[in-house]
Amino acid sequence: LGGMQALVLDEVDVMFLDDSFDLSVIGGAAPAATQFLFVTATLPVAVADQISKEFPGVKKLWGPGLHKIAPQVEEVLVDCSGPMEEERNEETAFVRKRDMLVQNLLKHQVRRSLVFCNSIPTCRKVENALRRADRSGNRWQILAYHSAVNPADREKNLGIFSSRVERPLVMVCTDRTSRGVDFDMANVEHVVLFDFPRDPRENVRRVGRTGRAGRTGRVTALVLGKQVGLARSIMEGNSKGARVHPVPN
């Protein structure tokens, strides 16, 4: 690293929250005049404080999109709780969300859709459900992007998703796709939150996959039970241009 002049670290909020990330090793090998650039769309106050402590005199540049949803993104909430008299358990919840997912994908037949799940098992179930809903394979092509898919196949699926579209592409994914994947050249027109994210920051990341570079986008959130009120309040804040987290000082 002796000839390095600048180092850009993206997704720095995750790096600084990960105890296994040792920046001091890189810093110790870099020339004293190296410029460090830390980039992120979501920045917890604790991380901002840590960077300020470790890099005295750091210059902070807050962009207008920090902790915010792009104004050209339309968010739609779908309550999948079901009638009170019906049985409510994990399986019936999945069935209701599955049915609404299929309905929405058929109603909004766009070139590229991302379907976010909170876990790999749910991704698998959604992938299988969508394939059963299109046994002829004429409606859409299903792709997967999560850590249970080997790296070579992940890159292959990403390449297909980013290439010229012959039929609608639906990528079922975890938050692995909400970070570090560039969709600016492959417009994602529809994001479906099959599972509502556990952390509001990840909601910003997932929603941020659509409506990029000034384009319009649509987000459909499939929620149930206590998630309904939380999702509604977040979406109302988004529509008013509010931030999901305060901007660090």
Side-chain angles (χ1 to χ4, degrees), residues 9-18 38-44 47-48 50-51 67 179 201-202 205:
L9 296 174
D10 198 9
E11 310 293 357
V12 73
D13 55 333
V14 174
M15 290 185 177
F16 272 83
L17 291 171
D18 184 353
F38 303 118
V39 186
T40 179
T42 55
L43 183 63
V47 174
Q50 184 179 354
I51 293 174
H67 299 166
R179 292 175 177 269
R201 282 186 301 143
E202 290 308 325
R205 297 280 182 174

Side-chain angles (χ1 to χ4, degrees), residues 104 123 165 216:
N104 272 272
C123 282
V165 177
T216 58

